Amino acid sequence: MTTANQAGTARQRSRGATIWLTGLPSSGKTTVARALAGRLRSEGHRVEVLDGDEIRRFLSAGLGFSREDRNTNVQRIGLVAEILARNGIFAVVPVIAPYADSREAVRKRHAASDTPYFEIHVATPLEVCSERDVKGLYARQAAGQLKGLTGVDDPYEAPVSPDLFLETQAQTPAESAGSVHAVLADRGLV
């Protein structure tokens, strides 16, 4: 027989959330997402990482990088994340989502279904991102081989009041993931 307290704990543990990591290319979004997902899984939580590159290859294949296409991409990812989260899964989303109105629409979708949503700004400075240049995007842009690089020659509207600012240049990935985990713990989700 379970007690009311045990039943409440089970309900709380089965509650999911969307953790959206937004930031410039090479800011550390995916690295932090993977570290956070590993920690959450080790605690027994169900987790899905909705990687922006994978989503673009499959769910958003055929979309370009116009403002309209970027918005469509973000809304598709937001819908999938919200469905997962309201069904008890932590949806960790390392996706640039450069426009504030697109991110706000995703937040509102979550609010409408009473699904927890956290916007995490991976606020790594452009100079650090350019040095990391994980995918060679900054080098290609500098060589004139790439146009529309977010934060360089295409806009990035940084969050004004995210749930958390992460400065990955000053933390290890595990420390950054720990900071996000602490936000989830403060809300009673982990």
Side-chain angles (χ1 to χ4, degrees):
M1 178 175 257
T2 60
T3 67
N5 190 31
Q6 289 171 324
T9 301
R11 273 194 304 277
Q12 189 67 20
R13 285 217 180 265
S14 68
R15 187 149 194 218
T18 293
I19 303 103
W20 197 294
L21 296 118
T22 178
L24 297 172
S26 297
S27 61
K29 298 178 302 298
T30 301
T31 302
V32 172
R34 288 181 181 146
L36 176 63
R39 180 169 179 177
L40 291 170
R41 285 184 185 115
S42 74
E43 295 172 350
H45 299 284
R46 296 183 307 156
V47 182
E48 287 296 330
V49 176
L50 301 178
D51 180 80
D53 292 335
E54 290 177 6
I55 297 289
R56 275 222 173 249
R57 276 195 304 275
F58 300 105
L59 185 63
S60 292
L63 290 179
F65 290 91
S66 68
R67 184 179 181 107
E68 183 179 336
D69 283 355
R70 288 176 190 239
N71 180 59
T72 298
N73 184 51
V74 168
Q75 297 316 303
R76 287 177 182 176
I77 297 167
L79 171 63
V80 172
E82 188 267 334
I83 291 168
L84 290 170
R86 76 176 140 91
N87 284 285
I89 298 168
F90 283 98
V92 184
V93 185
V95 173
I96 295 170
Y99 301 112
D101 58 348
S102 293
R103 294 189 308 266
E104 183 58 25
V106 171
R107 180 183 293 280
K108 286 179 180 177
R109 169 182 285 289
H110 282 72
S113 67
D114 193 32
T115 303
Y117 174 85
F118 300 91
E119 184 177 73
I120 311 300
H121 182 199
V122 184
T124 310
L126 178 62
E127 306 76 44
V128 174
C129 295
S130 181
E131 287 172 17
R132 289 177 180 171
D133 203 9
V134 177
K135 299 173 189 168
L137 299 174
Y138 294 95
R140 288 178 46 216
Q141 192 276 336
Q145 301 168 347
L146 176 69
K147 292 185 185 201
L149 181 58
T150 302
V152 178
D153 59 355
D154 208 56
Y156 177 72
E157 299 170 356
V160 175
S161 47
D163 296 287
L164 178 67
F165 282 99
L166 284 180
E167 296 179 336
T168 62
Q169 74 280 8
Q171 296 180 310
T172 67
E175 289 169 336
S176 292
S179 296
V180 178
H181 189 276
V183 170
L184 299 174
D186 285 347
R187 292 283 291 282
L189 292 167
V190 294

